[in-house]
């Protein structure tokens, strides 16, 4: 097989992806440092733009890649479903680069069919007939973990970067929701909840989520196959693909 090294230096990943999962970056820049010749054929780039799908070659293996540039919206879920099914028809292995807060919420997305289209994407992942490999390169929150082939959906391999975080939702969101419930209960009785007490209420929740979302916490419980150095990603993915395709 013909193998070409990426034109972009893989060591640049260490400065490209921020530690803060709320800071945006283009996942295509990550892909360019992993795939042969840094060549990536975008699939429907103008549709569902926060979900990136496309074809590439990694260490001589043809692969489909799905990555996130934000939450998954109805269009992004539809695009990913189509792409996954197309990869299954062509026998192309799929790599998921997870960094998402999950499926987008709100009145507009619900009216646009978020539940329907999101369930189509999860169904496509669950029934995929080709090897799937998942890499957590940032946040993996809520149902986004499912749609991007989390552990429960049987990827052949699943690895995490040291900056990755995984939980049912972000710690700040969880603390805010619980604080809102408590504040509403206090105010319904005519009381007042000082900001200092609210901060003290949130602190242990934030600490718990920060502890349990850490990749070492996840890896210790076998939620993944190991925490890897981002600079080793291309080699690790290549070995995973080779093992999967030779199984």
């Amino acid at each position: 097989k013909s193998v070409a090294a990426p034109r972009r230096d893989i060591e640049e990943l260490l400065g490209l992806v921020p530690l803060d999962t709320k800071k945006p970056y283009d996942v295509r820049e990550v892909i360019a440092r992993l795939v042969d010749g840094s060549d990536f054929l975008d699939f429907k780039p103008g549709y569902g733009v926060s979900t990136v799908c496309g074809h590439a070659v990694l260490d001589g293996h043809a692969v489909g890649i799905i990555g996130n540039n934000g939450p998954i919206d109805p269009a992004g879920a539809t695009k990913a479903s189509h792409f996954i099914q197309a990869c299954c028809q062509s026998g192309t292995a799929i790599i998921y680069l997870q960094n998402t807060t999950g499926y987008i919420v709100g009145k507009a997305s619900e009216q646009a069919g978020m539940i329907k289209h999101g369930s189509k994407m999860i169904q496509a992942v669950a029934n995929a007939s080709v090897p799937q490999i998942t890499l957590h390169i940032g946040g993996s929150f809520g149902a986004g973990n499912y749609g991007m082939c989390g552990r429960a959906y049987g990827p052949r391999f699943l690895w995490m970067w040291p900056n990755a975080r995984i939980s049912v939702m972000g710690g700040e969101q969880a603390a805010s929701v619980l604080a809102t419930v408590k504040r509403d209960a206090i105010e319904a009785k005519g009381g007042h909840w000082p900001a200092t007490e609210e901060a003290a209420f949130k602190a242990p929740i934030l600490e718990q989520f920060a502890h349990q979302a850490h990749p070492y916490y996840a890896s210790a419980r076998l939620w993944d196959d190991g925490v890897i150095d981002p600079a080793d990603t291309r080699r690790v993915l290549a070995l995973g693909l080779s093992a999967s395709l030779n199984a």
Side-chain angles (χ1 to χ4, degrees), residues 25 193 236:
Y25 63 91
W193 199 26
V236 170

Side-chain angles (χ1 to χ4, degrees), residues 44-157:
K44 297 184 179 179
Y47 179 71
V49 294
S50 62
T51 301
V52 176
C53 304
H55 295 279
V57 176
L58 198 155
D59 196 49
H61 301 290
V63 294
I65 299 176
I66 302 177
N68 309 114
N69 277 343
I72 305 169
D73 60 14
T78 301
K79 176 169 77 170
S81 303
H82 183 183
F83 183 73
I84 292 165
Q85 291 167 345
C87 285
C88 291
Q89 289 177 348
S90 62
T92 305
I94 305 170
I95 295 173
Y96 297 84
L97 302 178
Q98 270 207 31
N99 177 35
T100 182
T101 54
Y103 290 97
I104 197 165
V105 298
K107 182 178 179 180
S109 64
E110 297 296 347
Q111 290 179 338
M114 185 70 264
I115 294 174
K116 178 179 72 173
H117 299 303
S119 65
K120 288 193 302 187
M121 179 178 175
I122 293 174
Q123 186 270 346
V125 171
N127 291 284
S129 56
V130 295
Q132 299 182 102
I133 294 176
T134 303
L135 179 65
H136 292 290
I137 65 173
S140 176
F141 302 127
N145 175 274
Y146 307 159
M148 291 294 291
C149 199
R151 190 59 151 180
Y153 289 80
R156 301 294 178 92
F157 295 98

